[in-house]
Each structure stands twice: as C-alpha cells, then as structure tokens.
Amino acid sequence: MSGTPHEATPYETAPHGTAPRETASDGTTPHEAAPHEPAPRHAGVPQQPGAAPETPGKLAPTPSQTIGPFYGYALPFPGGGDVAPAGHPGTVTLHGRVLDGAGEPVPDALLEFWQAGPDGSLRGAPGSLRRDPATGAVLGRDGVDFTGFGRVPTDADGRYVLRTLPATAPAGRPDAAPYIAVCVFARGLLHHLFTRVYFPEHPAAHAADPLLSQLPAHRARTLVARADGERRYRFDIRLQGADGGTGADGEAGEETVFLEFR
C-alpha cells in the first residue's frame, strides 16, 4: 500500500491505432537502436546467409513484435480477488467487465486493486502472496489479514470479481472521497493504465474530491460504480470509446477516465 500514489490527473488514452511516443534517457525512441559496433565474427566462421552487412554507423531500426505478455499464466494467485478476510460480515462485492472500444470483452486482461485499510492506513499488510517454504508454491492469503491488495484476471467474457471491505478515504486526506485504486494490464497496451473506483453512497464527498471535482459530470460518472444488489457494485472499464457513444453491447460507450501520476 505504500506505493499507492496520492496525486493524479486525468488524461485520455491515444486514439485507436496510435500510441504515445516515448523517449529513452539516451534520446532514442523504443524503436530506434542506438549506434553501436557489430560483434566480431570468429576467424573461420563464414558469414551466414541473409545476415545484415557489417557496416559502421547507425543500424537500421528493428521491427517491434508483441508476443504476449501472457498475464494469465504466471501472475494470478489463489484467492487474488478475495481481499476481505474470510467470512467478514462487512464484505462487499465489486464486479464488472473490461471492454474495448467496440464494446467487446477483453478476455485476458489483468486487474490489480489497492485500497486503504478500514482505518485509512496505506501501509497495507503482508500475506497476499504467501509461499510454501518447502516447494515455493504460492499459497495465497491466510484468510485472516486484510492486505489491501488484490489481483484478478478477466474470464472469457471479460468479467472480473473482487470481494473486499468497503472503501475508505486515505488517512490525512479529509477532502478525498473513499475509493479503490485500479491498475489495468491488457493486450495492446504499451503501458498499464491507472483508474479509480468510487462508490455511490458518498455524493457529498464526490463534490469535494480533488479528482472528481475537476472532471465534467459525464466524465466523473465513468469512475463511479453503481449499486447492483445488496452490498454489491458493478464497475465496467472501457479502454476506448467516444464521448456519449454507445458500444456494441448497447450500453454507454464512454471511455473510462484514466490517470497519470506526476
């Protein structure tokens, strides 16, 4: 929980088919190789057919390839979505779907959640990723401690489920409304995305919240979960979408507000 950022500003994701340009510390971009000397060949080893000519100077850019990442094969762990201690009477369920710009489900996304403890503390607690000391296998949670961290993959329909305690505002921030921080990993994203889930029981706090209060009302709504039963909330995450548009699923297709931290 110590890594939960405290200041965020909203931004819109890049249009479909484009990506933000990055610049490395050496001034190059990710698809530009810095000049370097080719590795020498050993004497007696012939040049392999099709090999690039060994010429001095800047090398031609190499094409990028995306193989993976395969989030569902290594990162999920047992009980990753069960943040609330087992049997806790205050448990709430947060569920929803991750959708692309056409309203289609994203079946292999991975979501990470962080939230303040019941007392507002951001320290969290160890125990989400306990391992067997003999085999090294991940055992998951002990079912007792509230760690404030969850990790949930989406299923074939793009759905996720998180069972946790009610959100609280971070201690020392009386102007903040209760929220859960979310990080989205998915195919096609060069960088993971940050967003938040606020809850409908706190309209007065929303009006004073440093983030929600600076957003237009129709954009702020993309960050507020809706009640979906007793102690249950739905929060869909749309990776893209036109303002005021409608997705293929017939629901409002407005892109979720995502954040950058400075």
Side-chain angles (χ1 to χ4, degrees), residues 6 14 17 21 23 30 50 69 76 82 96-97 105 116 118 131 171-172 179 184 202 226 261:
H6 289 269
R21 182 178 179 85
T23 302
D82 298 325
R97 295 198 297 168
R131 291 184 178 272
Y179 69 87
V184 183
H202 312 285
R226 69 175 188 265
F261 295 92

Side-chain angles (χ1 to χ4, degrees), residues 31-215:
H31 297 290
E32 295 177 347
H36 64 277
E37 295 298 325
R41 289 186 291 129
H42 295 288
V45 178
Q47 176 73 42
Q48 297 297 317
E54 296 183 3
T55 56
K58 188 174 182 179
L59 300 178
T62 56
S64 62
Q65 291 182 322
T66 301
I67 304 177
F70 304 107
Y71 298 116
Y73 288 95
L75 295 179
F77 61 92
D82 298 325
V83 182
H88 195 291
T91 299
V92 297
T93 298
L94 178 68
H95 72 105
R97 295 198 297 168
V98 178
L99 305 167
D100 64 17
E104 298 295 332
V106 179
D108 51 3
L110 185 77
L111 305 180
E112 291 188 344
F113 300 87
W114 298 273
Q115 68 181 98
D119 60 352
S121 170
L122 293 173
R123 293 191 304 272
S128 295
L129 293 167
R130 295 180 310 124
R131 291 184 178 272
D132 187 304
T135 66
V138 177
L139 299 175
R141 308 179 190 279
D142 61 10
V144 176
D145 295 320
F146 177 79
T147 67
F149 172 76
R151 181 184 288 162
V152 185
T154 57
D155 64 14
D157 296 318
R159 299 184 184 277
Y160 73 90
V161 178
L162 181 78
R163 295 178 179 85
T164 186
L165 298 183
T168 56
R173 299 190 60 200
D175 56 344
Y179 69 87
I180 297 176
V182 187
C183 184
V184 183
F185 302 83
R187 53 178 160 167
L189 296 180
L190 298 180
H191 297 282
H192 43 275
L193 303 174
F194 295 99
T195 189
R196 288 179 179 177
V197 186
Y198 291 85
F199 294 85
E201 294 88 354
H202 312 285
H206 293 173
D209 184 84
L211 173 60
L212 291 180
S213 62
Q214 68 174 304
L215 293 171

